Amino acid sequence: MNVISFPRLGITLNINPVAFRIGSKPVYWYALIILTGFLLGLLFVYCTCEKRGVKRDNIWDIALFGLVAGIAGARIYYVLFALYEFSSLLDTLKIWNGGLAIYGGIIGAAISSFIYCRIKKLNTRNIFDTCAPGLLIGQAIGRFGNFVNAEVFGRETDFLLGMSINGRPPVHPLFLYESLWNAAGLILILLFRDRKKEDGQVFCFYIFWYALGRLFLEGMRNSNYILYVIPNVLGISQLVSALLIVLSAAAFIYLNIKKSKGTVQ
């Protein structure tokens, strides 16, 4: 049981990470929240895909393969940069003990979706554009899994939204910051996607927006939750975020120029 409070708001919650049990097996809130985010994101894409020229059957396939590849990617990414936490190869497979990285999940799902689109001869860029809002929905909801687990928080703060865990000094509630950032990105994408000049620009914006937020929020994290590429200096997520910001911005501009040249011709 964790006692999580927001002292300056006068809010105190007693949270048990276990939602319920099936026999002796616990079912955790974290898993239920992640699943809820995935299903709601999928539902949104499923209900809007045909308007964007994508068949619903394709969305089901992409979601299924993306889920499996995303979990695998999230685990591989985490293990590669936290090998010191595992004593054997078998330990690296025990995802129920924790250890998933969102960037790895995005990369894994993107690769499986790309391969699927190529095999089915689908418009890959339009598929990615269509799925982008669903990703933000899933991520905005999924971050609350960190809240119920009392994990992935920032440094100490006296900010209004400071969050105290089990009586310790208030810290930045990074789960909330990132969730709100993703929700804002979702609104912007929904406003922008009908105005895009070329397929692929919506997904570029999604990558740019998420990476920009993650770049700053990662720097606010408690060091216990940072996977370092340079110990105590540079986190791998910060490095990846910076690279993705540059690449997504360049890709967006390239697609814009490509469309402009095509129009002139």
Side-chain angles (χ1 to χ4, degrees):
M1 184 72 70
N2 291 307
V3 179
I4 301 178
S5 64
F6 296 84
R8 298 191 65 181
L9 297 177
I11 298 174
T12 299
L13 302 169
N14 296 312
I15 299 178
N16 188 339
V18 177
F20 56 87
R21 294 178 182 273
I22 300 177
S24 61
K25 299 294 184 181
V27 177
Y28 293 93
W29 279 115
Y30 181 88
L32 293 177
I33 291 171
I34 296 296
L35 179 61
T36 299
F38 172 79
L39 292 177
L40 289 179
L42 172 58
L43 179 63
F44 179 88
V45 175
Y46 179 80
C47 291
T48 60
C49 65
E50 292 192 339
K51 186 179 179 180
R52 322 214 75 77
V54 180
K55 293 181 179 179
R56 289 178 172 177
D57 287 346
N58 293 140
I59 292 300
W60 282 118
D61 292 342
I62 289 169
L64 177 60
F65 294 131
L67 177 62
V68 175
I71 293 174
R75 185 58 170 179
I76 292 171
Y77 185 104
Y78 183 88
V79 170
L80 287 176
F81 295 101
L83 286 173
Y84 57 88
E85 294 184 9
F86 305 97
S87 57
S88 68
L89 180 61
L90 182 61
D91 285 342
T92 66
L93 302 177
K94 298 177 180 178
I95 63 174
W96 53 87
N97 289 334
L100 298 174
I102 184 63
Y103 269 137
I106 294 173
I107 293 170
I111 291 173
S112 71
S113 299
F114 178 82
I115 293 173
Y116 177 87
C117 290
R118 287 298 183 181
I119 292 174
K120 293 291 185 177
K121 295 181 171 55
L122 302 175
N123 183 333
T124 304
R125 286 183 285 153
N126 185 47
I127 291 283
F128 277 46
D129 283 354
T130 302
C131 293
L135 293 173
L136 284 171
I137 291 172
Q139 289 171 242
I141 295 172
R143 272 305 174 192
F144 279 83
N146 298 132
F147 171 64
V148 297
N149 276 358
E151 62 184 5
V152 192
F153 45 81
R155 300 189 180 95
E156 293 185 13
T157 180
D158 59 358
F159 182 50
L160 176 65
L161 295 177
M163 176 180 68
S164 174
I165 301 174
N166 297 325
R168 294 193 288 271
V171 293
H172 284 289
L174 297 188
F175 82 93
L176 180 59
Y177 298 167
E178 186 168 327
S179 182
L180 292 174
W181 180 260
N182 289 333
L186 173 63
I187 293 172
L188 291 174
I189 274 184
L190 295 180
L191 292 173
F192 160 73
R193 64 179 181 170
D194 287 331
R195 297 176 175 84
K196 68 177 181 179
K197 293 185 177 180
E198 186 73 7
D199 288 339
Q201 287 186 320
V202 173
F203 188 73
C204 287
F205 177 81
Y206 156 71
I207 293 294
F208 178 87
W209 183 263
Y210 180 72
L212 180 64
R214 188 63 184 269
L215 178 65
F216 288 101
L217 293 177
E218 192 74 11
M220 298 172 63
R221 279 197 182 199
N222 181 291
S223 59
N224 292 330
Y225 294 103
I226 298 178
L227 296 176
Y228 285 105
V229 63
I230 301 178
N232 300 315
V233 176
L234 180 66
I236 180 60
S237 288
Q238 290 175 301
L239 177 60
V240 171
S241 293
L243 291 174
L244 289 177
I245 288 171
V246 173
L247 291 175
S248 60
F252 186 97
I253 294 171
Y254 168 77
L255 290 171
N256 205 48
I257 294 173
K258 178 182 177 182
K259 179 63 177 179
S260 297
K261 288 184 176 179
T263 301
V264 172
Q265 293 174 352

